[in-house]
Amino acid sequence: MANVPRGHHYVPQVLLAGFTATGTKTGRLHIVDLVRRTTYPSTPAKTGKEKDYNLIEIEGVDPFAIESGLLAVEIEAPAGLAFEKVRRGGVPTEEDRGRLLAFMAMQELRGPSRREAFDDFTTRLMRQTMAAVTDSEEMFEAQRQRHPELQGISREEALDWAK
């Protein structure tokens, strides 16, 4: 675990590199912080990231699988090749266009505001499901028998949480 990435980018370095003069991850960016009303220099490597942003907590699954595998290997590296071709004036092939479309789709899903909206949706769905499950004592008891994680939780506690 010593060599795992901890700063996970929601704005990938491969994309930010295109906004530098050198087209590299170490090139200079000029950041405009609208909240603090300030500007400052940075690099793609230091920008648009958060510690453990893509960390997953599923038993038996590598916690860095999304950052190190899916994003780095499956999405960003192939898109980076296509971006580089376009930067050099090349025409993207059908394969390049597929890589760029996959990259764009992932970008649509990975930002903080999208994650927050998805979390809100998930919470609402879970609350509605719990409200249905707690509709009657019999229904709740049947669910408690099927789901050990509900042991020790009363129907009233589940109803309170659902509300």
Side-chain angles (χ1 to χ4, degrees), residues 2 4 12-13 31 40 44 48 52 55 67-68 78 87 97 103 105 123 129-130 133 137 139 148 151:
V4 294
Q13 295 178 67
I31 306 299
Y40 58 92
D52 294 338
L55 190 74
E67 183 68 19
S68 299
R87 282 188 196 115
R97 289 191 299 273
F103 179 86
T123 300
T129 301
M130 187 58 76
V133 165
E137 188 65 49
M139 172 90 70
Q151 300 303 319

Side-chain angles (χ1 to χ4, degrees), residues 98-161:
R99 292 169 172 172
L100 293 171
L101 285 172
F103 179 86
M104 289 169 32
M106 188 58 72
Q107 277 308 105
E108 174 59 25
L109 298 172
R110 79 192 282 186
S113 62
R114 183 62 71 182
R115 181 174 285 184
E116 186 176 315
F118 181 75
D119 286 348
D120 290 347
F121 168 77
T122 303
T123 300
R124 284 194 316 275
L125 182 61
M126 289 172 58
R127 289 184 188 279
Q128 289 172 352
T129 301
M130 187 58 76
V133 165
T134 57
D135 192 43
S136 70
E137 188 65 49
E138 295 79 21
M139 172 90 70
F140 184 68
E141 191 53 42
Q143 290 300 317
R144 190 175 8 217
Q145 295 302 317
R146 282 185 265 190
H147 300 282
E149 63 270 15
L150 293 176
Q151 300 303 319
I153 298 173
S154 70
R155 179 173 173 246
E156 291 72 30
E157 289 171 319
L159 277 166
D160 286 344
W161 182 83

Side-chain angles (χ1 to χ4, degrees), residues 20 26-31 40-47:
T20 69
T26 57
R28 188 178 184 137
L29 287 172
H30 297 279
I31 306 299
Y40 58 92
S42 188
T43 65
K46 297 178 182 176
T47 304

Side-chain angles (χ1 to χ4, degrees), residues 8-12 16 44 46-50:
H8 301 174
H9 288 80
Y10 41 84
V11 180
L16 292 171
K46 297 178 182 176
T47 304
K49 68 179 182 177
E50 188 175 314

